[in-house]
Amino acid sequence: MTMSIQQRNEATVHPSARLSGTLPPSGDKSLSNRIGLLASIGKGISRVEGFLASADCIAVLKAMEALGARTHFDRDGELFIHGTGGKMMPPVGPLDLGNSGTGLRLLTGLLAGSPVTATLTGDASLCRRPMGRIMEPLERMGARIAAQGKGRCAPLQVTGTPLKGITYELPVASAQVKSCCMLAALYAKGTTTIVEPTPTRDHTEHVFQRLGLPFSLEENRITVDGLGPDGPSVPSCNWRIPGDISSAAFWLVAAAAHRRGAVTLERVGLNPRRTAVIEVLKRMGARIKVTTRKQDEKDVEPHGDIRITSSKLKGTVIGGDEIPNLIDELPILAVAGACAEGETVIKDAQELRVKESDRIQSMCHNLLKLGVQVEEMDDGMRIHGPASARPGGVVDSFGDHRVAMAMAVYGLLSEAQVTIKRVDCVETSYPAFWEDLVKLGGQVE
Ligand code: S3P
């Protein structure tokens, strides 16, 4: 299937007679971003297999190139990063992180205490997202950050300044805020302690550990020993990044809810802080088998294969501490809820309102438009499934990649075609999504 970027701006997905096959989903976005950032300030050349070459992660690499790193992919898609060896160059012009909230927030942390001045910006969606949540702890550490957008939003002008260690209790369960503080803490004088009220994804901790960076973990407290304005000495390293469970989740739900679904996802990351979607689907009655693979020295985290077959799904309640560990899977879990017998409730998920779009509003609007009974709540939604008829129709991605892909899966499960407007955003996290949909037996125009 060959589609140009322009043609991709609208996609029509047809109901599919079967959904089966085997795929490795594309590489983990969170790990790609962290490894991309840290290898770029490292010594020598790091090699990365499975790096996600999506718009978000490429924006991070481009920003790091503007700070002095060099990167290239070989013919097999392996990424080579020539690090700056610690000293970053002052960039010419603003660093444009596109749609990448992780990129902008983590890079702000990395730059806050280093002797560089830079402006970090992004697309319209990113410039609407809250940056006060990172500015607050960074400013307490002594950082100088000027938000040029209204209401403490990007563009952010960061003037690298000597930082001091602090103790900071995260007011929101956010791995991005935690990771931003951990990166800034490396350049501070003294110790920084970050306290997490609810556990969030811990990829930064895994990458720090692999690189021998000075930090320790005790229950919900992360302590980083600051190295001052020269920052850390990051060794070069060879990495292999597993598939992204957030991308795999689209096919997990598609196969579970389809009458004739049987899909195997290979080499998917199985970090326990990311796998709550598997537990929720099991609770909904999905038939899932997970087989872990052996981890070698390049694999920074556990990974394995997930086999999922059709089943009759039933509603469930998703909330509490599991939310941060499936935050990006909530749009596709809303689709699972629409196909399940009984009520599915998503609660405690206010964070969805400040993602690439307001995902509570985007998903409720789209599902309602397609005849699903769904009620919007402040912190989630209540879905009454199963939609008795799934008539198809036209919906919008609201510029949000995960909304676009969730609605495409709904199209595979419908009785008539679903057209999704503005689907070019899928490039941000899963450029092979449409090809994979076709590989599994789906049809898209
Ligand atoms: C991410 C953390 C999550 C997630 C985002 C990626 C990360 O955001 O939604 O897509 O890589 O750290 P928050 O930590 O802000 O919830």
Side-chain angles (χ1 to χ4, degrees):
M1 187 192 51
T2 50
M3 286 201 290
S4 73
I5 298 283
Q6 279 90 347
Q7 282 167 325
R8 276 190 189 166
N9 225 7
E10 186 171 300
T12 297
V13 178
H14 294 271
S16 154
R18 71 168 175 92
L19 256 183
S20 56
T22 299
L23 284 181
S26 51
D28 187 280
K29 182 152 77 84
S30 294
L31 267 175
S32 297
N33 282 329
R34 284 148 175 87
I35 292 170
L37 283 172
L38 282 165
S40 292
I41 58 160
K43 290 194 196 122
I45 303 175
S46 292
R47 297 169 66 140
V48 195
E49 284 173 41
F51 187 90
L52 174 65
S54 76
D56 268 15
C57 303
I58 298 295
V60 169
L61 293 184
K62 289 255 171 290
M64 295 316 290
E65 284 184 348
L67 293 162
R70 281 182 298 128
T71 71
H72 75 271
F73 287 93
D74 74 3
R75 281 201 195 146
D76 300 323
E78 187 169 356
L79 172 64
F80 292 73
I81 302 179
H82 304 243
T84 62
K87 295 260 173 292
M88 285 182 268
M89 253 168 37
V92 180
L95 303 173
D96 186 352
L97 279 307
N99 193 243
S100 177
T102 308
L104 196 141
R105 292 190 175 119
L106 270 56
L107 186 52
T108 302
L110 189 72
L111 294 179
S114 65
V116 167
T117 295
T119 299
L120 287 79
T121 189
D123 66 10
S125 152
L126 187 51
C127 290
R128 279 194 300 268
R129 297 181 65 186
M131 293 301 151
R133 55 178 59 196
I134 57 164
M135 289 171 67
E136 215 247 330
L138 293 178
E139 282 168 350
R140 282 214 223 163
M141 294 173 88
R144 284 172 56 199
I145 302 173
Q148 292 164 356
K150 257 201 264 158
R152 304 201 110 193
C153 287
L156 300 185
Q157 194 191 25
V158 185
T159 307
T161 317
L163 302 181
K164 60 176 191 303
I166 57 166
T167 295
Y168 189 65
E169 187 163 342
L170 295 178
V172 278
S174 165
Q176 291 183 354
V177 178
K178 169 179 70 176
S179 305
C180 165
C181 295
M182 287 175 70
L183 290 165
L186 289 173
Y187 291 82
K189 227 174 146 188
T191 297
T192 297
T193 301
I194 302 147
V195 186
E196 275 203 292
T198 311
T200 63
R201 63 185 73 186
D202 58 359
H203 303 296
T204 309
E205 292 88 316
H206 283 275
V207 172
F208 268 38
Q209 185 151 26
R210 166 64 61 89
L211 293 171
L213 298 177
F215 88 110
S216 62
L217 273 175
E218 200 187 314
E219 290 181 6
N220 60 341
R221 300 167 81 83
I222 300 154
T223 302
V224 180
D225 295 321
L227 299 153
D230 287 341
S233 164
V234 177
S236 63
C237 202
N238 292 340
W239 306 88
R240 185 185 297 122
I241 295 179
D244 198 322
I245 193 155
S246 300
S247 300
F250 296 106
W251 313 124
L252 296 180
V253 170
H258 197 279
R259 282 188 321 282
R260 294 174 63 205
V263 169
T264 303
L265 283 322
E266 291 182 324
R267 298 183 183 280
V268 183
L270 294 174
N271 176 325
R273 299 259 181 113
R274 294 287 301 281
T275 48
V277 63
I278 296 178
E279 300 319 310
V280 168
L281 285 173
K282 282 187 181 162
R283 224 157 62 212
M284 294 180 85
R287 291 193 287 167
I288 304 186
K289 190 169 170 251
V290 178
T291 316
T292 43
R293 290 191 184 224
K294 206 168 151 275
Q295 221 174 308
D296 72 24
E297 72 285 348
K298 282 194 209 167
D299 298 309
V300 64
E301 292 187 4
H303 66 286
D305 302 341
I306 311 176
R307 169 87 179 153
I308 184 152
T309 47
S310 303
S311 47
K312 207 163 165 37
L313 295 180
K314 56 178 193 292
T316 189
V317 179
I318 308 170
D321 283 2
E322 69 188 350
I323 292 293
N325 297 335
L326 46 63
I327 188 77
D328 291 343
E329 288 70 82
L330 288 170
I332 190 64
L333 283 172
V335 166
C339 301
E341 191 70 48
E343 193 175 84
T344 296
V345 181
I346 297 174
K347 58 178 192 172
D348 308 317
Q350 301 85 336
E351 276 296 296
L352 287 183
R353 297 227 179 252
V354 290
K355 293 294 178 188
E356 287 82 331
S357 71
D358 174 341
R359 287 184 174 159
I360 297 179
Q361 203 178 61
S362 309
M363 287 307 295
C364 288
H365 180 93
N366 283 341
L367 291 174
L368 267 176
K369 212 166 166 210
L370 299 184
V372 178
Q373 266 190 294
V374 51
E375 287 163 49
E376 183 171 335
M377 307 188 301
D378 284 349
D379 64 343
M381 63 191 87
R382 192 180 289 275
I383 306 156
H384 307 270
S388 47
R390 293 193 206 122
V394 181
V395 295
D396 193 356
S397 72
F398 296 92
D400 183 328
H401 53 131
R402 299 204 195 277
V403 173
M405 293 185 277
M407 296 320 298
V409 168
Y410 194 77
L412 294 173
L413 301 168
S414 292
E415 281 140 30
Q417 65 194 40
V418 172
T419 297
I420 308 116
K421 290 191 192 156
R422 295 195 281 162
V423 290
D424 49 357
C425 51
V426 166
E427 295 288 320
T428 65
S429 68
Y430 197 170
F433 177 79
W434 304 109
E435 273 155 53
D436 286 353
L437 180 146
V438 171
K439 276 188 200 154
L440 296 179
Q443 250 191 66
V444 57
E445 283 161 34

